[in-house]
Amino acid sequence: MASNVLTKRAAAPKVNTARVKPEAEEPLKPKKKGMSLFTLLDKYANVDALFEEGVPLKYMPRVLFLTGITLLYIGNTHFAVKTVRQIDKVKVEVEDLRADYSTLKSEYMEASKQSEVARNVAPLGLEESSTPPYQVVVPADEY
């Protein structure tokens, strides 16, 4: 017969036996405490005393209020920073537009001079009048 064939063996009857309690391991030596924020907090603020009887629900409204105020403060700070960035961006854009306006205004003032207008319309066959303008007087009964 092959050695890999399973054979049914009679199972041993189950018996109640006492559990063996594992040996307690030696506690690790505490590390040398340095000067950290959490060490100082643990040393000077007795936070464990607050939670001896569970979570103190009497402080929950205050904690939630302070959490809400903190979130509003953080959100307001982000909004202010975003607004300052937008203001800086708009200032740069306004400065560019002001420079363009000044340039266009000076070009317009130069082009609207009488001598420039006369020079620009000369190719069209128009020339400047040498006689001064006169006023046409129409009697009121001719209307």
Side-chain angles (χ1 to χ4, degrees):
M1 212 182 206
S3 63
N4 62 355
V5 175
L6 294 176
T7 58
K8 198 169 196 178
R9 293 185 184 171
K14 292 189 177 182
V15 206
N16 289 335
T17 57
R19 291 187 187 173
V20 178
K21 185 176 181 182
E23 294 181 21
E25 295 179 15
E26 288 185 25
L28 296 175
K29 292 181 181 177
K31 292 184 179 180
K32 213 175 194 182
K33 291 187 177 181
M35 295 299 283
S36 71
L37 175 67
F38 297 110
T39 305
L40 292 174
L41 185 65
D42 190 35
K43 183 176 179 182
Y44 293 111
N46 192 9
V47 179
D48 292 335
L50 287 175
F51 297 104
E52 284 177 354
E53 298 173 8
V55 178
L57 294 178
K58 66 181 183 180
Y59 299 119
M60 198 57 73
R62 290 185 182 123
V63 169
L64 291 176
F65 177 74
L66 290 176
T67 303
I69 293 293
T70 304
L71 289 175
L72 285 174
Y73 180 74
I74 291 169
N76 188 29
T77 304
H78 285 295
F79 178 74
V81 168
K82 186 172 110 178
T83 304
V84 167
R85 287 182 183 163
Q86 286 177 348
I87 288 171
D88 290 341
K89 185 191 272 187
V90 169
K91 277 185 181 179
V92 169
E93 188 176 341
V94 166
E95 185 64 30
D96 290 343
L97 290 174
R98 190 185 65 75
D100 291 343
Y101 167 76
S102 298
T103 304
L104 290 173
K105 184 178 177 184
S106 67
E107 288 175 2
Y108 172 72
M109 294 298 285
E110 179 68 27
S112 64
K113 287 183 181 176
Q114 185 179 356
S115 59
E116 287 295 317
V117 171
R119 187 176 333 140
N120 289 338
V121 296
L124 299 174
L126 298 174
E127 58 184 43
E128 216 175 323
S129 175
S130 58
T131 60
Y134 58 92
Q135 185 176 8
V136 176
V137 178
V138 179
D141 59 345
E142 282 190 28
Y143 266 107

